[in-house]
Amino acid sequence: MALELNESLQKTIDGLSDQFTEKLIEVYQSTGDTFVRIEAEALVEVCTYLKNEHHFVYLTDIIGTDRYTSDERFEVIYNLICLKNQTRLFLKVRCDEESPVLTTVSTVWKSANWMEREVYDMFGVRFNDHPDLRRIFLPEDFDYFPLRKEFPLLGIQGSIELPNTTPDTE
Amino acid sequence: MGLESALGEGYLTTKVDSVVNWARANAAWPMPMGLACCAIEMMAFAGPKYDAARFGSEVMRFSPRQSDVMIVAGWCTYKMSHAIRRIWDQMPDPKWCIAMGACASTGGMHRCYGVVQGVDNFLPVDVYISGCPPRPDAVLHALMKIQDKIKTEHSVMLDT
Amino acid sequence: MKLSDIQSKVHSTFFKEHQRKLYQSLEDKHTTIEQLDDGDPLNSKMILNMGPQHPATHGVIRLVLQLHGETIEKVKLDIGYLHRGVEKIAENKTYQEFMPYTDRMDYLSPYSNNVALCTAVEKIADVEVPERAHYIRMIGCELARISSHLLWLGTMVMDAGAVSFFIWTFKEREKIYDIMDRLAGHRFTVSHARIGGVANDITDEAMGAIKEFTQMFPKELKDYHKLLDRNRLFFDRNEAVGVLKTKDALNIGAKGPVLRAAGYAYDVRKFAPYARYDEVEFGIPTRLEGDNLARYFVRMEEMSESIRIIRQCIDKLPKGLVRTDNAKQAYPSKDEVYYSMEGMIHDFMMTDTGICPPEGAESYHAVEAPKGELGYFIQSDGTGHPWRMKINAPSFANLQVLENILDGEMVADTVVIIGGLDPVMGEADK
């Protein structure tokens, strides 16, 4: 595959393929952005390596997607920035539908805390060793995961309660 | 000064209802339930160009115990609806409610799982304002409609 | 403070599970450094709920504070009171239909959100935008930046005590509203930017209003500086309050002026320039202290830099089209729609199906909104609706910073710190 990478990104990809050859599944580019897909078990190792060796100190966003395929349904994408070399890299991991579990990266970047809570809230992907895995946008009483493709846009009747309209309630 | 010159040396007779309702209508202190973008237009409505104070809404009282009119500005989610209902219950009678904007009136452009499709699902609304966001002139118009409602609807003397 | 104490006193009538988990997580925070003191004779520990409806929180945000006297020991935030599910809505709309929703996200500066969506779609679908449109977008974005910072200034200073300042800044904001009215037809939530350009050209009247604004505004800005820059009260309220240390700032994930006030000169307009920002000269104000006063100075200087950019854009504005001529990618002009068959059909197809990026394409594009880096990640499946659209909202990250810097502050400073971070709940809750 012909990738047009600048110098520091090329060094990063070379370093990754040397250190983690079996864990690195694919590297590709789409509209100018570089995506690296790795195995889910190696997530924290790869993140620590990228932060320490290649100065990817800033985690801007964690994106969850629902691929709606029968295997490896959910995909989580990490948006990393290296300020020193002015580059951006996307890291992808996949997990399956029966037990969507990943390990948290909040030990590497503290900003992952709320972002992983958002992915949990919207898709149901759990993160091991997360300091505080609760829902962030919807109340805990809500039982569904809204951004999954089978959840209807208008919601499910009765899944979240409205207040009483008679004035003599508590 | 002006009243004495109009009446001469005499006095004015009127109904208790008219006087009380006139006083109530011209001192309707709003409680801004500013949730989203309509709150910014509500701030402009209280701002220097479209002054709400000249209509009697001198202060925006954030405490429900001290206000008369609740202006719900912005889309109301299911999570927030309980807080709004609680605040409405805390307001003392007589109270009125303005649903400002398309989102508070009917859910607006947000036709999805998180937004209550109209605040009148759990609140008794008196005036609906359309617009996304409505111009502050429209909010002034709604305030004037509430003033008309105050002057004509309830009676202090008759127990209706 | 044991959970059983709280549970016995709080009778939640709605969302019982949610309240239980929230108070449990408050108790579990920092458990390693909390001392178990059974003797609290003066009963100085309490849990205070700054609820979703509060005069001084900017929008609906809930803070649960554990206080010891006046000092905050720990704090937990509860957001989501304005969550609509905008990302789910995006999967059912075409890219152009989604434009009004972007206005309502960061509702203090609607123009930057529009430009953010447009540039993201233009990147994934490879749309060429004419020069004039780039400069008009830049003028709109910088005016939106000034408008957002003016509202921040008015509300922060009003929260600190000077109430009449709010009226002054709103007077200036009304002038910007007038400009937007002439330019786009709506005061506030303009949806002016279109994919492939902008909706309509700047009329001479609007241009005159913009030029007049760039003349008058620096004088007003000097007045604000004169009031606040050496004001003893303002300094006492804001210096060394809400400090975000430089070594923590990137790890915690601060964005925008909060990050620049902590020492990092990271601005998306210089990191990955879009819309001809590499052809105008401007500086990035930065400070090292990381406290509220530093954020104030950074935002004030950003306003004068914005005026500088607008002046350069007005000088450099080229003549030409304001939207690309390609019928598969952008709406045709209204003349064509009304007077030719092809124009009408193209208009219909653009509204019905919309622009279709290639299947399997994924892209991310960020702009520098007044609050920080606002990015759109789009995954396309070949149809006119996105498969997934993720919005990277700066206020979401800045609220996470709030949870970390409030521990140890006085409870009376909470309001000023929230004002200094400038969160917008429509964006943070999506």
Side-chain angles (χ1 to χ4, degrees), chain A residues 28 31 58 64 92 132 151, chain C residues 76 79 88 254 362-363 388:
Chain A
Y28 64 94
T31 62
Y58 193 27
K92 279 190 173 194
D132 184 23
F151 187 78
Chain C
K76 274 287 173 185
I79 65 176
K88 184 107 188 149
E362 305 171 301
S363 94
R388 170 82 167 110

Side-chain angles (χ1 to χ4, degrees), chain C residues 50-71:
Chain C
M50 264 176 91
Q53 191 268 339
H54 189 99
T57 57
H58 296 237
V60 279
I61 181 178
R62 178 177 172 199
L63 294 119
V64 187
L65 307 155
Q66 177 166 317
L67 301 175
H68 180 81
E70 283 273 323
T71 326

Side-chain angles (χ1 to χ4, degrees), chain C residues 245-262:
Chain C
K245 300 201 185 61
T246 314
K247 61 181 172 60
D248 289 334
L250 281 184
N251 205 11
I252 285 185
K255 283 193 185 161
V258 179
L259 183 63
R260 289 195 277 278

Side-chain angles (χ1 to χ4, degrees), chain C residues 135-165:
Chain C
Y135 283 94
I136 298 180
R137 280 180 181 179
M138 281 167 69
I139 295 178
C141 280
E142 296 306 317
L143 279 174
R145 190 182 311 271
I146 296 177
S147 160
S148 169
H149 284 331
L150 277 175
L151 194 133
W152 154 80
L153 186 62
T155 48
M156 185 173 106
V157 180
M158 181 170 80
D159 289 341
V163 179
S164 54
F165 210 82

Side-chain angles (χ1 to χ4, degrees), chain A residues 73-103:
Chain A
R73 184 175 173 187
F74 299 113
E75 191 171 56
V76 178
I77 307 174
Y78 295 80
N79 185 345
L80 307 168
I81 292 184
C82 171
L83 284 178
K84 195 164 148 189
N85 304 325
Q86 304 263 301
T87 49
R88 197 189 283 271
L89 182 69
F90 291 87
L91 203 61
K92 279 190 173 194
V93 280
R94 288 188 183 168
C95 50
D96 56 336
E97 187 179 344
E98 285 81 42
S99 62
V101 178
L102 288 174
T103 323

Side-chain angles (χ1 to χ4, degrees), chain C residues 90-102:
Chain C
E91 292 170 11
N92 293 314
K93 303 241 175 246
T94 65
Y95 295 98
Q96 188 58 58
E97 266 186 317
F98 191 64
M99 193 67 73
Y101 292 89
T102 59

Side-chain angles (χ1 to χ4, degrees), chain A residues 137-139 160-163, chain B residues 33 35-36 72-85 103-104 107 110 112-119 121-122, chain C residues 14-15 52 60 79-86 425-426 429-430:
Chain A
F137 289 139
L138 292 157
I160 185 168
E161 38 175 357
L162 263 185
Chain B
M33 181 59 75
L35 301 166
V72 183
W75 64 87
C76 171
T77 57
Y78 283 90
K79 198 171 175 184
M80 187 65 195
S81 59
H82 297 266
I84 296 182
R85 180 74 210 181
C103 296
H110 303 294
C112 61
Y113 62 89
V115 177
V116 179
Q117 301 290 305
V119 138
N121 278 318
F122 58 92
Chain C
F14 51 87
F15 299 142
V60 279
I79 65 176
Y81 287 92
L82 224 53
H83 172 73
R84 304 159 268 187
V86 122
M425 295 321 289
D429 286 347
K430 301 203 215 346

